Amino acid sequence: MSKGKSIIPDFMSNNPHDTFKFLFPLKLILDEDKFGNSHYEVVIKNMTQNEVFTHQVSPELLFTHFPLYKSFKNGEKTEYYPSKEILEKVFTINSSLINNSIEKKLNELLDEKTIGTLLGWSYKYLDIAKYINCYLIEQDDIKIIIPHFAIGIYYYFRFSEMREAVLDCNIESLYVMCDDNRSNAKVVLPTPRTDEDAAFIHRYACQQKAHNEFENISKYIHHYLKYMRGHDLDEEIEGIHLKINFPVKEKFKIDTRVSLVTNKETKEDYYFIHEITNDNSDIGFDKFTKIVEQNKIITDLEDLENLSKVDREIPEETTEILKIKDANKKHTSTQHRKDKKKSCESLLNIEIKHETQTKDIIKDLLKIYQEQENKDKLDQSLTESSLKGDKATRRVIISSKFDKEETRPLNEIDNFIVFRQYMEFLKQQSIIENFTLSEIRNLPEFLIEKDG
């Protein structure tokens, strides 16, 4: 078996005996050629050397590999230097009450000394950190600070392709087709995804509120750049403090990792949320089917021998933020994955099914499905999200990338070809035994002629 690869930042590989903590995302460093390649500038502390510095990190790595305020040594989690100040708290929030009136800069809530404690007891990056965007929620005699980066990391930067889709305003790159039917929702994916990630993709494709918030992140970047250049064309824009909102407007619970901080000037106490680890917001359906294009999956290990091979040359100097190292264990696919005690609570009690289909079958059956479902021209507008229990208008939403592919009109589909394709698919299913399919037979033809 080939060795796996694990992600390790270069500053860790250069100091393999030191322990590091990722502490605080300061701003997004923009790649103006392609926003999807942008990175967070993150405050990091070398706990061994007691040194604070910044490093550019892909946002999704703070969700999947390196959660804030946890210790890592040579890329692996360690129990050295535990963050005793971090608490696990569950809050019930009502995101429908979140608006501009509760949006604050961090320095409007905390004094500089307190902000310094969040940066590793350092004021080195205070002038950047104090301007991050936050929401202040006051309820039950407590005050909660939710930095926008915490919302972004949990809801919008769950994996690399989602980060690219968010920053490039291109949700359609993540799916082929979605069926927005609360009682039996479906999503067709071009590549395999976890149940949670597939559900989030479906949410952003189908729910109007979630779709808008997904696109608003990239739109804010564009508006910010336009505004800044309108005031000073010569100013170099290195980074931006993102504005990010929840994808739903409702009352729900969030599991968090927080620290209790006190403004030393006003003596007011706040829970500062470093990380959202789970939530139970309405995902938009009661039953869910995840379909992956079969031709994107290797179903037989023997097929590995038939894969095309491309020689890879790694240059000595690269612009990639992270390097890779050989893993020393056979199974390392989850070695540095996010600590998950349980699945996303939004999927609790949701029946989830998994299917695979070939692209040709998906294309042909989709045309038939569209004809049965809509009768008229496909309505590609997004359905409005609804509260759980309400009956929503059903819509089939197709990625424009898929929709633009050359397809035949419905009346030109050879239904027998579709049938044969589906039979071939059934033959490959391990749960079906003794499946046989007869060869095509030509039936005799008779010509009946009328007398006279």
Side-chain angles (χ1 to χ4, degrees):
M1 180 178 292
S2 62
K3 287 186 178 182
K5 301 288 184 181
S6 61
I7 294 178
I8 176 171
D10 53 8
F11 61 83
M12 287 190 187
S13 61
N14 293 335
N15 302 275
H17 303 296
D18 291 354
T19 299
F20 297 86
K21 285 184 182 180
F22 295 74
L23 300 181
F24 198 100
L26 292 172
K27 58 185 177 180
L28 190 74
I29 305 300
L30 294 176
D31 183 334
E32 294 195 42
D33 292 330
K34 181 175 173 57
F35 290 154
N37 292 334
S38 302
H39 293 76
Y40 266 138
E41 180 182 6
V42 180
V43 176
I44 299 169
K45 187 169 185 178
N46 183 323
M47 304 300 294
T48 307
Q49 305 296 333
N50 194 29
E51 296 175 349
V52 175
F53 60 98
T54 63
H55 194 76
Q56 291 188 31
V57 179
S58 294
E60 70 277 8
L61 293 180
L62 300 178
F63 179 79
T64 60
H65 290 73
F66 303 111
L68 302 178
Y69 275 84
K70 291 193 175 182
S71 297
F72 294 90
K73 184 177 181 179
N74 202 23
E76 300 182 6
K77 198 170 92 169
T78 176
E79 298 303 321
Y80 289 114
Y81 303 98
S83 298
K84 297 180 180 179
E85 72 276 21
I86 299 298
L87 309 172
E88 293 186 357
K89 299 282 290 185
V90 178
F91 299 106
T92 298
I93 63 172
N94 189 344
S95 59
S96 63
L97 301 178
I98 293 178
N99 52 48
N100 292 337
S101 66
I102 66 170
E103 185 175 310
K104 309 289 183 181
K105 296 295 184 181
L106 186 58
N107 64 345
E108 297 179 66
L109 304 173
L110 301 177
D111 64 285
E112 293 188 351
K113 289 185 178 180
T114 303
I115 296 175
T117 65
L118 300 174
L119 303 174
W121 297 89
S122 170
Y123 303 117
K124 189 174 181 180
Y125 304 105
L126 178 64
D127 288 341
I128 303 175
K130 66 183 182 181
Y131 293 119
I132 70 162
N133 296 304
C134 306
Y135 291 120
L136 172 63
I137 296 181
E138 300 182 68
Q139 60 186 31
D140 302 326
D141 297 324
I142 62 173
K143 297 180 179 181
I144 307 167
I145 300 175
I146 308 180
H148 287 209
F149 68 70
I151 301 173
I153 291 169
Y154 178 79
Y155 288 100
Y156 301 101
F157 301 139
R158 299 179 66 88
F159 54 92
S160 298
E161 291 82 0
M162 180 172 281
R163 175 252 301 166
E164 294 175 1
V166 168
L167 298 179
D168 288 333
C169 199
N170 186 21
I171 179 61
E172 294 183 339
S173 65
L174 299 180
Y175 67 93
V176 172
M177 182 271 287
C178 292
D179 179 7
D180 184 24
N181 178 4
R182 174 172 279 280
S183 62
N184 189 17
K186 296 182 179 67
V187 63
V188 179
L189 303 171
T191 54
R193 299 291 176 202
T194 65
D195 292 346
E196 292 89 346
D197 291 345
F200 274 68
I201 292 172
H202 187 277
R203 163 187 273 171
Y204 297 130
C206 296
Q207 298 178 32
Q208 186 69 63
K209 163 65 177 173
H211 183 86
N212 289 343
E213 296 300 345
F214 189 97
E215 292 193 334
N216 282 344
I217 297 174
S218 179
K219 289 179 180 178
Y220 177 75
I221 296 176
H222 285 278
H223 291 325
Y224 177 84
L225 292 177
K226 182 178 179 180
Y227 173 82
M228 294 298 292
R229 286 168 178 157
H231 285 72
D232 187 350
L233 295 176
D234 297 326
E235 182 178 355
E236 183 178 354
I237 302 172
E238 295 182 353
I240 180 175
H241 296 294
L242 289 179
K243 286 192 175 184
I244 304 175
N245 205 349
F246 288 95
V248 295
K249 280 190 175 295
E250 62 183 66
K251 191 174 184 178
F252 59 99
K253 293 181 179 179
I254 55 174
D255 294 9
T256 66
R257 295 175 60 243
V258 305
S259 56
L260 183 61
V261 296
T262 302
N263 185 316
K264 294 177 173 55
E265 296 176 358
T266 64
K267 307 303 180 184
E268 291 182 294
D269 293 331
Y270 299 87
Y271 284 108
F272 183 90
I273 294 180
H274 299 279
E275 179 187 16
I276 299 174
T277 59
N278 209 336
D279 84 314
N280 70 345
S281 60
D282 179 20
I283 198 65
F285 47 75
D286 303 315
K287 181 181 177 181
F288 186 52
T289 300
K290 181 178 69 175
I291 305 171
V292 181
E293 288 184 27
Q294 189 179 23
N295 52 318
K296 300 286 186 178
I297 305 175
I298 299 174
T299 57
D300 191 335
L301 290 179
E302 294 181 357
D303 293 341
L304 289 171
E305 301 298 329
N306 300 321
L307 292 177
S308 58
K309 298 180 180 180
V310 179
D311 293 332
R312 183 181 65 169
E313 180 179 352
I314 302 178
E316 294 181 359
E317 295 185 3
T318 72
T319 57
E320 177 56 48
I321 301 303
L322 299 177
K323 297 180 180 179
I324 57 176
K325 74 165 187 175
D326 291 332
N328 54 10
K329 295 183 179 180
K330 290 185 178 180
H331 306 289
T332 60
S333 60
T334 59
Q335 183 176 352
H336 302 300
R337 286 289 298 176
K338 183 178 182 65
D339 296 330
K340 288 188 177 180
K341 297 180 181 179
K342 51 192 173 184
S343 176
C344 176
E345 287 191 16
S346 293
L347 298 181
L348 189 64
N349 299 322
I350 301 292
E351 180 184 351
I352 300 178
K353 293 185 177 181
H354 306 91
E355 296 181 7
T356 58
Q357 297 281 9
T358 65
K359 187 171 184 178
D360 289 337
I361 290 179
I362 290 173
K363 288 168 63 176
D364 288 339
L365 295 183
L366 179 59
K367 296 172 194 173
I368 297 174
Y369 180 77
Q370 290 174 221
E371 181 71 10
Q372 295 172 342
E373 185 68 21
N374 295 298
K375 301 300 180 183
D376 300 320
K377 183 180 179 180
L378 174 65
D379 181 2
Q380 290 184 325
S381 63
L382 298 172
T383 182
E384 293 184 358
S385 59
S386 61
L387 296 176
K388 196 166 186 177
D390 292 345
K391 185 176 181 180
T393 303
R394 181 174 180 177
R395 291 287 184 268
V396 177
I397 301 169
I398 304 175
S399 167
S400 61
K401 179 180 178 182
F402 178 86
D403 199 33
K404 289 178 181 177
E405 293 181 359
E406 183 178 352
T407 56
R408 292 171 294 168
L410 179 63
N411 57 8
E412 295 182 14
I413 296 177
D414 188 332
N415 288 332
F416 189 70
I417 292 177
V418 177
F419 172 78
R420 294 288 300 184
Q421 290 174 338
Y422 190 63
M423 291 301 101
E424 290 298 324
F425 164 73
L426 292 179
K427 286 173 60 177
Q428 300 178 26
Q429 304 307 301
S430 59
I431 60 174
I432 300 178
E433 298 180 356
N434 302 321
F435 182 92
T436 58
L437 182 63
S438 301
E439 296 297 324
I440 298 176
R441 297 181 182 180
N442 294 322
L443 298 177
E445 298 181 3
F446 299 92
L447 178 62
I448 301 177
E449 297 182 354
K450 293 182 180 181
D451 295 336

